[in-house]
Amino acid sequence: MDIEKDFNLSVGLRIREIREAMQMTREQFSDLCNISDSFLSAVENGKKSITSKTIYKICQGANISADYLIFGNKNGFECDTILELLKQMDSSERSSAIRILTEFSLALSKAKSKD
């Protein structure tokens, strides 16, 4: 088992997951992160490793933390995704989204307490 190859593949798959969650093509995502789309393709497929500088570019471009890319901390990615969506909304939309999430959270708590 090649640890470096496994790591490259894991990181590449997480990058692809982030890109797909953002509903972006490789070209769009690579432009956002200031990397070439051919390099992005190779990284997503585990064929190339990335440097700390590239990790930084991806994290800055996608507005995520490096924890998820490196360690696979799913909670960090999910929270970053929600924050990114909220940042794209205007004030009124953001207020509505917060109300919806609050109601959803309360409904979950009530359902759990009935169990």
Side-chain angles (χ1 to χ4, degrees):
M1 173 167 72
D2 187 349
I3 293 174
E4 184 175 334
K5 186 176 178 181
D6 289 345
F7 177 75
N8 291 346
L9 185 57
S10 295
V11 169
L13 290 173
R14 287 191 280 272
I15 291 170
R16 179 180 295 153
E17 182 181 25
I18 291 164
R19 176 179 61 78
E20 289 174 351
M22 295 176 74
Q23 299 179 340
M24 299 181 102
T25 65
R26 277 196 184 112
E27 184 178 350
Q28 292 168 325
F29 192 77
S30 62
D31 286 345
L32 179 71
C33 299
N34 196 26
I35 58 177
S36 76
D37 54 334
S38 61
F39 178 70
L40 176 61
S41 176
V43 168
E44 284 186 351
N45 291 304
K47 295 178 181 175
K48 295 237 178 192
S49 60
I50 58 176
T51 64
S52 57
K53 184 176 180 179
T54 304
I55 290 172
Y56 177 80
K57 287 180 176 184
I58 291 170
C59 291
Q60 286 292 107
N63 197 26
I64 59 166
S65 75
D67 285 353
Y68 177 66
L69 284 184
I70 297 170
F71 302 110
N73 181 352
K74 185 79 169 176
N75 290 335
F77 169 64
E78 290 168 344
C79 290
D80 287 345
T81 300
I82 291 168
L83 289 173
E84 182 59 29
L85 291 170
L86 289 170
K87 286 179 185 178
Q88 295 172 8
M89 297 176 184
D90 65 29
S91 178
S92 174
E93 293 168 335
R94 201 171 14 258
S95 293
S96 295
I98 290 170
R99 279 195 306 276
I100 290 167
L101 286 171
T102 300
E103 289 297 321
F104 181 70
S105 178
L106 290 171
L108 286 176
S109 293
K110 288 178 183 178
K112 286 179 183 177
S113 67
K114 289 181 180 178
D115 290 342

